[in-house]
Amino acid sequence: MLAIGMLRGKSGVHTFDLSKPEIMQPDEVLVRVKEAGVDGTDFNMVRHNLQDIAEDRNEIVMGHEMVGVVEAVGSEVRSVAPGDTVVMTVRRGCGICQPCLHNQSDMCITGLYTERGIHKRDGFFTEFAVDQEQYVVKVPADLVKLAVFTEPLSIAEKGIEQIRLIQSRLPWACEHPDHSFLSADWGRCKTALVLGAGPLGILATALLRLAEVYTYVADIVPEDSPKVHLVKHMGANYIDARSKTPKEMVEFCCSPSGNLDIIFEASGAAATAIELINYMSRSSIYVMTGIPHEELVMQVDAAQLVRQIVRYNQVVVGSVNSNRRHFEMALKDIPAINSRFGGMLEEMITHRFKLQDYERIFAPTDQKHIKTVIEVEPWE
Ligand SMILES: [Zn+2]
Ligand SMILES: [Zn+2]
């Protein structure tokens, strides 16, 4: 079967021919890949030649966002059957630490995990994949054509979940008792700034807007960009970060409410990300999800930063990856997002390719680019 990935010692992206995987254990599921999403991680792997290949291999199949159809199941599999549409999670736990032993490998504390398509394990830019039932999540029949968004949305779900869990320390975040961070109406009376209007920033904004959070999104694209159109379509406000300093951005966000409750970093722009900490509101939370790839050394007033974080009870938290539960949350929210924001998810897919187009998939993208999807096999 055809696969796209990286070859040890060679830069760029390559195709290779692999034998079709087979079910070897009674709890395994064989899936025919239908669509695979390409995201910033994949582009960065190619651009910066970030190879993370298993020791006993000379290649890695890329791709960690997928949707497919079950072709066969092992004798002990109960939750999915041939013909079901499914998505697969990305990380495979270390098998040692308590988070991994409790299906929370996204919180692995040994670092000995692997990740499909990223870290020492083959991914989904290919025709078939086999995995254990616990990593396979069934997709409701009416969501099949949007399910390629499950993995990226699960990343946003985890970030927002972290915010809500940690900020439940503030039951009186506003004057309304039913607006606490763990209540259904948690987003009311809250203001958020999302950094980066790439797919993750847009999906985080969708979740914030679903919860009625007053949301600003900052990026460095012009007002007429498709990204900005999506931001405004969700009822969020766009900030062109090219014309505002981090201080000015926060002052702008704080102008109606006086408080910026949430910063969601999804750009990986390290300097802006760090500088923004200086302007956090009291008791607010800052979740970082973007991963910078270049080295960047900057000067900070460390004493001032520590003083401020202590005196203002502030939280800066990182959030990476997601677990099965976040995939299930994403599958619940996909129809809500797409109906509330009229076909928004379809609109996010600006580029579609076949597996055979592997060289074009990673060509430099224009400012109109938001999301690339590889159509491995057409839906019937
Ligand atoms: Zn672990
Ligand atoms: Zn309120």
Side-chain angles (χ1 to χ4, degrees):
M1 62 176 189
L2 183 62
I4 297 177
M6 306 183 87
L7 294 177
R8 190 184 294 281
K10 286 193 183 173
S11 62
V13 62
H14 301 270
T15 57
F16 30 88
D17 195 32
L18 294 177
S19 50
K20 180 179 167 181
E22 288 173 16
I23 292 178
M24 309 290 276
Q25 300 294 331
D27 67 339
E28 287 183 335
V29 180
L30 171 66
V31 175
R32 176 184 288 270
V33 180
K34 301 293 273 185
E35 291 179 333
V38 185
D39 83 352
T41 302
D42 304 305
F43 281 102
N44 279 324
M45 283 169 74
V46 175
R47 199 174 297 143
H48 302 286
N49 199 30
L50 306 172
Q51 296 200 355
D52 200 353
I53 301 172
E55 281 76 20
D56 58 345
R57 294 278 304 278
N58 280 315
E59 71 273 299
I60 182 170
V61 180
M62 292 172 61
H64 57 277
E65 304 175 1
M66 65 84 77
V67 52
V69 174
V70 175
E71 183 139 300
V73 297
S75 58
E76 286 173 11
V77 172
R78 295 287 173 268
S79 62
V80 294
D84 285 347
T85 302
V86 294
V87 289
M88 282 182 184
T89 62
V90 179
R91 193 176 278 189
R92 304 293 170 256
C94 69
I96 303 166
C97 77
Q98 288 302 315
C100 287
L101 292 174
H102 289 85
N103 289 328
Q104 292 203 357
S105 61
D106 59 315
M107 291 296 204
C108 178
I109 50 180
T110 66
L112 299 174
Y113 56 81
T114 59
E115 287 173 339
R116 295 206 66 153
I118 303 170
H119 183 50
K120 295 185 168 46
R121 193 179 279 259
D122 280 345
F124 307 124
F125 292 166
T126 185
E127 296 170 72
F128 293 92
V130 164
D131 222 317
Q132 290 173 275
E133 180 181 19
Q134 60 172 312
Y135 306 121
V136 177
V137 186
K138 188 173 171 176
V139 174
D142 56 335
L143 294 186
V144 165
K145 299 221 171 137
L146 294 172
V148 73
F149 284 102
T150 312
E151 196 279 342
L153 185 59
S154 77
I155 304 297
E157 295 279 6
K158 178 180 171 183
I160 302 288
E161 174 196 59
Q162 298 298 299
I163 291 169
R164 295 180 64 189
L165 286 174
I166 296 167
Q167 294 304 76
S168 67
R169 68 193 179 132
L170 292 170
W172 297 103
C174 77
E175 65 196 86
H176 308 105
D178 56 341
H179 293 178
S180 67
F181 276 88
L182 291 184
S183 65
D185 281 333
W186 71 274
R188 305 228 178 221
C189 303
K190 311 286 190 304
T191 304
L193 168 62
V194 177
L195 286 174
L200 180 55
I202 290 173
L203 293 171
T205 302
L207 293 179
L208 291 165
R209 290 298 303 136
L210 266 190
E212 305 292 349
V213 177
Y214 199 81
T215 307
Y216 294 87
V217 182
D219 203 315
I220 51 172
V221 293
E223 286 276 340
D224 60 357
S225 144
K227 289 178 178 178
V228 179
H229 176 258
L230 284 173
V231 164
K232 291 182 174 171
H233 186 61
M234 292 184 282
N237 307 285
Y238 179 64
I239 298 175
D240 188 341
R242 294 172 302 179
S243 60
K244 279 190 165 59
T245 64
K247 181 172 190 282
E248 288 168 339
M249 276 197 268
V250 172
E251 280 170 0
F252 186 69
C253 297
C254 285
S255 58
S257 66
N259 208 56
L260 182 56
D261 305 275
I262 296 162
I263 300 178
F264 194 109
E265 209 299 308
S267 73
T272 307
I274 291 298
E275 203 181 329
L276 267 171
I277 298 174
N278 291 296
Y279 309 108
M280 286 175 68
S281 296
R282 287 172 189 262
S283 302
S284 69
I285 187 163
Y286 186 155
V287 59
M288 294 185 177
T289 67
I291 299 177
H293 286 285
E294 264 115 52
E295 230 170 81
L296 194 138
V297 178
M298 64 189 281
Q299 247 185 337
V300 294
D301 183 340
Q304 164 56 26
L305 213 55
V306 173
R307 252 194 317 268
Q308 174 207 302
I309 290 172
V310 171
R311 284 182 175 156
Y312 288 3
N313 292 295
Q314 290 164 335
V315 181
V316 178
V317 60
S319 178
V320 71
N321 194 249
S322 58
N323 62 47
R324 183 187 178 98
R325 203 165 40 78
H326 304 115
F327 274 64
E328 290 164 352
M329 291 161 70
L331 284 168
K332 283 208 179 77
D333 281 330
I334 283 173
I337 290 170
N338 216 42
S339 66
R340 169 87 181 270
F341 308 122
M344 185 199 110
L345 295 172
E346 287 102 334
E347 202 181 318
M348 277 178 72
I349 303 174
T350 52
H351 293 62
R352 286 183 184 273
F353 295 103
K354 302 279 177 206
L355 268 184
Q356 291 77 1
D357 301 326
Y358 71 100
E359 280 173 315
R360 285 165 60 212
I361 295 170
F362 294 98
T365 52
D366 51 76
Q367 282 207 331
K368 290 195 163 36
H369 175 262
I370 301 177
K371 183 79 188 162
T372 297
V373 168
I374 302 175
E375 295 175 330
V376 179
E377 191 192 66
W379 298 101
E380 277 90 50

